[in-house]
Amino acid sequence: MYEWISKLTLNERRLLRIERVLRVFPIWMMSAACCMLAFVLYRAFRKGFLKRVEHNLLDLLGAVPLTSLKAISKHYVQNVVYTLYEILFLSVRLKKLHASHFDVQGEEHLQEAQRQAMGKGFIVYAPHVGNFFNYYLYLTQKFDCLTVASAGSPELKPLYMKFAAMGCNGLDYDSVPPLELYRTLKKHVQSGGVIFILGDFWRPTFPLSRLFGRLTRTPEGAAMLALEHQVPVVPFYGYRVKGFKHRLVFSPPVNLHEQFEHSGRSERAEANLLLNAFMERVIRDQPSAWFYWFNVHERWEKISTLAPDNTTNDVIGSIDLTTEAAG
């Protein structure tokens, strides 16, 4: 996947030239072009890249009819192609297109979370589904937002820089020390800001948790901030309906601090399982929209390699996790 992205992003001058040319074409025409390109790529990668994607789909979703499996993988490729086009070549027009291309459901839950926070901010929590770049831009037009991103990768950095230039504030966990990062997020939410957290990042340093019934490592940053600072979490996801049109779905705010009496390590782990369960439901409901089908098989823990519980490592892991979680 990252090889695809690098071919598009590593030559900035070429990208600018292509963007200037593509601006003259109407949106419907570029949508048709993306659809045709996705079909070509789907046929080209059937025996390699998509074989792994479909294996992972079957592994996590269970028995899926062959026709459904092919449809999911085809739509998966379409979403990747459309998303890359939106980010690289349509981003300058996104603010004008939001009204006509976004069907927003549950936006009142954002106002409810703001009311419940009583002067503080809140967390919008989501998996990597649909075009999460666009959804963050949508939030930044309504709230004082902050996120944390993995912009250190040379393939991905141009994508993040485009949105940073449009006012999408973010911190780079590859360059900002963990404690400084956590303090910045804490200060932001305590002063009434909104933090956009994508909760399905994976790193070998994250605390142990479960997803799809498998032992894995997931970030606990959202759970930590919500419990320690008593702010609501608004579960959210978006997905592509057709072409460049998206549906954004905000759920009622969840007050984790009301469900858990303390904010210790065990409470954070339990709260994180609730957030993981939300992400799993979204992925099952919109499987073709999830970005990580291409490498999710690398996330599962081998029981024999697990180290015994260590309190010091838990504390350090929680700080690191806050750093990565908000990515």
Side-chain angles (χ1 to χ4, degrees), residues 11 80 97 118 131 260 302:
N11 190 324
V80 171
L97 293 174
M118 301 178 64
N131 187 339
F260 297 92
K302 295 180 180 178

Side-chain angles (χ1 to χ4, degrees), residues 109-311:
H109 299 311
L110 296 172
Q111 281 71 46
E112 175 61 18
Q114 200 169 37
R115 186 190 66 78
Q116 292 181 9
M118 301 178 64
K120 297 179 184 178
F122 57 92
I123 298 165
V124 175
Y125 184 85
H128 282 80
V129 292
N131 187 339
F132 36 91
F133 282 90
N134 280 16
Y135 308 152
Y136 182 50
L137 177 61
Y138 177 81
L139 284 170
T140 62
Q141 295 179 68
K142 297 179 176 295
F143 301 97
D144 178 16
C145 289
L146 183 62
T147 191
V148 181
S150 176
S153 166
E155 303 92 351
L156 299 178
K157 188 171 183 178
L159 308 184
Y160 289 102
M161 294 306 294
K162 273 186 169 290
F163 280 78
M166 292 189 291
C168 294
N169 297 321
L171 301 169
D172 184 356
Y173 65 67
D174 292 314
S175 60
V176 181
L179 285 176
E180 179 185 341
L181 188 61
Y182 180 72
R183 290 182 185 128
T184 303
L185 295 173
K186 171 184 172 182
K187 182 179 179 180
H188 185 74
V189 77
Q190 286 184 330
S191 63
V194 172
I195 299 176
F196 183 61
I197 293 184
L198 292 161
D200 54 351
F201 276 110
W202 176 88
R203 294 293 184 274
T205 55
F206 286 167
L208 285 170
S209 190
R210 287 190 178 274
L211 187 67
F212 288 98
R214 308 289 181 86
L215 196 64
T216 185
R217 295 180 181 273
T218 59
E220 290 181 354
M224 175 184 286
L225 286 165
L227 290 174
E228 292 190 358
H229 306 293
Q230 300 187 357
V231 294
V233 177
V234 177
F236 162 76
Y237 68 101
Y239 61 95
R240 191 177 306 280
V241 177
K242 184 179 180 181
F244 298 123
K245 295 185 182 295
H246 296 257
R247 179 164 293 132
L248 282 61
V249 182
F250 296 96
S251 298
V254 177
N255 287 288
L256 294 173
H257 61 277
E258 294 179 355
Q259 300 182 43
F260 297 92
E261 186 176 351
H262 303 288
S263 60
R265 178 68 185 87
S266 61
E267 287 80 11
R268 288 199 306 270
E270 289 296 319
N272 199 51
L273 285 174
L274 293 179
L275 297 177
N276 285 356
F278 161 73
M279 290 196 299
E280 183 178 334
R281 289 195 299 272
V282 170
I283 295 165
R284 289 184 182 277
D285 187 56
Q286 299 293 332
S288 62
W290 193 43
F291 179 72
Y292 286 118
W293 286 118
F294 74 101
N295 68 351
V296 68
H297 58 283
E298 300 172 359
R299 298 180 172 214
W300 314 126
E301 289 285 328
K302 295 180 180 178
I303 302 299
S304 59
T305 65
L306 296 184
D309 184 51
N310 185 296
T311 303

